[in-house]
Amino acid sequence: MKVICEGLDLSDAILKVSKALGTKKANQILEGIKLTAKGDDLILMATDTELTIEKTIQANVIMEGETVVPGKYFMDFVKKLENEQIELSVLDEGQLKIKYADAESEMQVYNAEEFPKINKEIKENFFLLSQGEFKDLIAKTSFSCSQDDSRPILKGCLFEVENGTVTSVALDGFRMAVCKKQAKAVSGDFKAIIPARTLNEITRLLEKEEEELNVVLQKNNLMVEVGSTVLVSRLYEGEFINYKQILPTSFLTEFTVDKDQLLNSVERAAILSRSDRLSLVKMDVKEKFLNKKADLEKEVALRNQKIQQAENKLKQREMVLSQRQEEIQRKKMEAEAVKENLEAQLVIVDKKKEELDKLQQQEIEKLETISGLSAEEAKERLVESLKEEAKTQAQSFINDIMDDAKLTASKEAKRIVIQSIQRVATETAIENSVTVFHIESDEIKGRIIGREGRNIRALEAATGVEIVVDDTPEAIVLSAFDPVRREIARLALHQLVTDGRIHPARIEEVVAKVRKQVEEEIIETGKRTTIDLGIHGLHPELIRIIGKMKYRSSYGQNLLQHARETANLCAVMASELGLNPKKAKRAGLLHDIGKVPDEEPELPHALLGMKLAEKYKEKPDICNAIGAHHDETEMTSLLAPIVQVCDAISGARPGARREIVEAYIKRLNDLEQLAMSYPGVTKTYAIQAGRELRVIVGADKIDDKQTESLSGEIAKKIQDEMTYPGQVKITVIRETRAVSFAK
């Protein structure tokens, strides 16, 4: 629980609910105040099981919850902080942390689960009176309630509702008081004995005499709601004395006197009374008077307290406002002084400017007279001479720079590339399309195959991997083009063999578990790679794709290792060229993410990688470097050529990639021969390791329109008849050459 509220509101609420605090030491929880933070409210509740008072105040609830604080200590503590904003938060150690101004305190709290549950769903019987009428009803009867614990039924007032009239009755064996009020609304005829203590507490809560008060009763409980305060009390059970039989119907003597005169007379007579019996008159009148006086004094003290607090707040605000006003006035005066000073200086500057213009004009006229030329003519001659001199010097400077660049450019480029390669040295991993799973004995092969081959079929169906069980001793071959599938099948097979329980249901369970483990390992690999390279702020999906690279290869080279090597090369080369090495490393790591998508769209991996980077909010220069590293889009930043070069360096190192030479040469020859089969083609060249095909046609045999259709036909035929990695770019070239000789 964590809540912030005003100290004045909290103090007022504690004062109200503290009237219901328990005093029995046997049950410590009843001495506490329950605090509940919910929505935008802080709810305070106290109870002694007989009387319950709940008060709701507005607060800023940061975290909902509830706790119980020691009532007396908490009330005494908060009284000192009425003018402060208070932050209440419950710590894990069972402590309440109270933060105010620049200080804080801690207080031990009780478990809120031990606090009594209070029933507030009371709706059986009710009567409706104005607050003023209800206060008058209590004031005229409650003083006659008994104080004797031996007759507990007489310690309350009987409320009798008949025919829309509410009658309040109280008696203590010596006196009886009866008062009647016409209710504004009732639920029906009923009776209830309400404790005098409850009635007095309700009276203290009532402040607006014109507003209506709804008193709700059910069985042995009563509930009253006044504004944001709710009072719940237990009713006395039993039969009240039949007061109607006690009320006299006839009187021997009846007289009318002035009330004030009667009170004065009784008080004077009481002074002279000598025995306790005769002091009954005094006590009867005086007790009522003292009760009212005490109540009034409490109300006055409470109102004075509120007024004093309000006055203190107003004084503080007045002081702050006056300070602010003084500060504003001081700054205004300073600004006016600065303004006047500036205006005076501007006037002086204008005068000096006019004098300077006059002197300058006089000097120009003197020079024109001496030289025999006007100012404009002299300016034109000077400009022309400076132009010619500047042209000569600039041309000479440009020639020197060009000569120096031609001498050093090639050498510098070779130095940067060689240095980058030398500084980044990584081991090379070659991967196959099969995995060999070793077993301890050939007996396990039969268990893996299962009855009628059901186990091996279930394993193949769950993993998508072909499992070859042949005569090879102590080995099973797992074959699949997808390394992730092979790894899942290997780990699942290892767990099944280790466990010994091999059947279709167990296979599916183990494969699902292993697939989850591999997915977690992919994410962990991605995170570890980014941490090792010092790359931060990557989207979680990009981190997963990087981790997935571990299980992909290109021409036998591990894709993750290739990406790390490219990233390091890019960082070194960028630092050598004076560019941002962090951006270059980021682009190098992400340049091949298009090779490992969850879906396989009909797009080159470079363009697909660029789209993924754009999707996950990478910067435009990094996206362009990813998309342009195979010249499939235009390079717009200096990072793009660096990534392209470093990708080529990483893939071209001896041993980095492998492909059977004969198959490679055959594929290139097939490409060239396929294009040569079309009429009008004179020459064909397969370049960039077979990723691009240049087709040269005769200008006299094919026109420009036919070249477009020819490139499309060749592309379609390659797509239908050949197998190749990535994509093949077909470029048809048609040119006309006119050659003549001058003799």
Side-chain angles (χ1 to χ4, degrees), residues 648-687:
I649 292 171
S650 176
R653 290 192 297 104
R657 296 185 175 182
R658 70 176 187 184
E659 188 177 16
I660 299 173
V661 178
E662 292 81 1
Y664 175 69
I665 295 171
K666 184 176 181 302
R667 182 163 61 85
L668 297 187
N669 288 331
D670 289 344
L671 275 174
E672 293 179 349
Q673 291 301 320
L674 187 144
M676 284 295 294
S677 64
Y678 284 86
V681 178
T682 58
K683 293 179 182 178
T684 58
Y685 301 104
I687 61 176

Side-chain angles (χ1 to χ4, degrees), residues 437-498:
F437 179 75
H438 297 281
I439 56 179
E440 294 180 357
S441 66
D442 290 341
E443 297 177 1
I444 300 174
K445 288 184 179 180
R447 297 179 62 188
I448 293 171
I449 294 170
R451 185 181 298 173
E452 298 177 357
R454 64 175 186 171
N455 290 345
I456 197 168
R457 284 198 303 274
L459 192 57
E460 287 180 343
T463 60
V465 174
E466 183 182 359
I467 301 172
V468 181
V469 183
D470 52 15
D471 296 334
T472 306
E474 299 180 356
I476 296 173
V477 177
L478 309 176
S479 177
F481 72 92
D482 191 346
V484 179
R485 293 182 189 175
R486 292 205 310 275
E487 181 67 11
I488 292 171
R490 187 187 69 79
L491 293 173
L493 201 56
H494 177 73
Q495 286 195 19
L496 289 167
V497 170
T498 305

Side-chain angles (χ1 to χ4, degrees), residues 124-183:
E124 184 177 353
N125 297 311
F126 75 91
F127 64 87
L128 193 66
L129 292 171
S130 68
Q131 293 187 14
E133 288 176 335
F134 191 81
K135 285 174 72 174
D136 187 56
L137 198 68
I138 295 171
K140 291 179 178 179
T141 55
S142 64
F143 67 90
S144 293
C145 291
S146 175
Q147 304 294 323
D148 189 3
D149 291 333
S150 63
R151 306 178 72 184
I153 200 74
L154 299 181
K155 292 178 71 177
C157 290
L158 172 67
F159 275 71
E160 187 177 52
V161 180
E162 285 183 347
N163 301 323
T165 301
V166 180
T167 304
S168 176
V169 183
L171 59 90
D172 60 357
F174 300 97
R175 57 189 173 177
M176 181 174 67
V178 181
C179 186
K180 297 184 179 182
K181 297 286 182 182
Q182 188 67 34

Side-chain angles (χ1 to χ4, degrees), residues 371-390:
S371 63
L373 295 171
S374 66
E376 292 296 327
E377 291 174 350
K379 193 185 293 182
E380 287 176 3
R381 289 189 183 183
L382 180 62
V383 168
E384 289 296 327
S385 65
L386 290 173
K387 275 185 182 177
E388 294 299 326
E389 186 180 351

Side-chain angles (χ1 to χ4, degrees), residues 564-662:
R564 292 176 65 121
E565 187 176 3
T566 305
N568 288 324
L569 283 167
C570 288
V572 174
M573 197 169 289
S575 60
E576 290 289 336
L577 296 172
L579 300 174
N580 189 341
K582 289 187 177 181
K583 277 192 174 183
K585 188 181 286 186
R586 196 183 189 99
L589 179 63
L590 299 174
H591 82 281
D592 272 346
I593 58 175
K595 288 185 179 181
V596 286
D598 294 330
E599 300 175 357
E600 302 289 343
E602 297 295 328
L603 273 177
H605 77 273
L607 296 179
L608 179 58
M610 182 176 71
K611 288 184 178 294
L612 287 172
E614 290 173 348
K615 180 180 177 182
Y616 297 117
K617 310 300 182 188
E618 288 295 317
K619 293 184 178 179
D621 51 353
I622 293 176
C623 297
N624 178 255
I626 296 170
H629 79 275
H630 284 314
D631 294 321
E632 286 162 342
T633 187
E634 185 182 353
M635 295 183 181
T636 60
S637 68
L638 293 174
L639 290 179
I642 291 175
V643 173
Q644 187 181 42
V645 171
C646 294
D647 179 42
I649 292 171
S650 176
R653 290 192 297 104
R657 296 185 175 182
R658 70 176 187 184
E659 188 177 16
I660 299 173
V661 178
E662 292 81 1

Side-chain angles (χ1 to χ4, degrees), residues 193-318:
I193 304 171
I194 304 174
R197 179 193 173 194
T198 301
L199 295 173
N200 291 331
E201 294 300 330
I202 295 173
T203 304
R204 291 188 181 96
L205 297 176
L206 304 180
E207 296 178 355
K208 300 178 181 178
E209 297 198 353
E210 285 72 26
E211 287 191 4
E212 294 179 347
L213 179 69
N214 190 21
V215 182
V216 187
L217 303 99
Q218 181 173 331
K219 294 183 179 178
N220 61 343
N221 288 320
L222 169 143
M223 185 178 73
V224 176
E225 197 170 348
V226 183
S228 59
T229 306
V230 179
L231 184 144
V232 179
S233 172
R234 293 188 63 177
L235 302 176
Y236 287 145
E237 297 182 8
E239 282 295 323
F240 200 83
I241 295 172
N242 190 351
Y243 72 95
K244 293 179 180 178
Q245 293 180 353
I246 301 173
L247 285 173
T249 56
S250 61
F251 303 92
L252 295 174
T253 306
E254 187 175 336
F255 60 91
T256 303
V257 297
D258 184 79
K259 182 177 71 174
D260 295 332
Q261 291 180 359
L262 178 63
L263 286 173
N264 290 331
S265 299
V266 171
E267 287 178 354
R268 287 194 299 271
I271 296 172
L272 301 176
S273 64
R274 297 180 181 179
S275 66
D276 292 337
R277 260 180 75 188
L278 297 176
S279 68
L280 287 175
V281 175
K282 173 189 169 185
M283 292 298 295
D284 188 65
V285 178
K286 194 87 174 179
E287 185 180 356
K288 180 181 176 181
F289 174 75
L290 290 175
N291 287 337
K292 285 187 176 182
K293 185 179 178 183
D295 292 343
L296 288 171
E297 286 176 351
K298 287 181 181 179
E299 287 183 13
V300 170
L302 184 61
R303 290 182 181 180
N304 289 338
Q305 186 182 4
K306 290 181 179 179
I307 292 168
Q308 187 64 38
Q309 291 171 354
E311 287 179 353
N312 292 336
K313 282 189 174 181
L314 287 172
K315 286 179 181 178
Q316 290 177 356
R317 289 178 182 176
E318 286 177 0

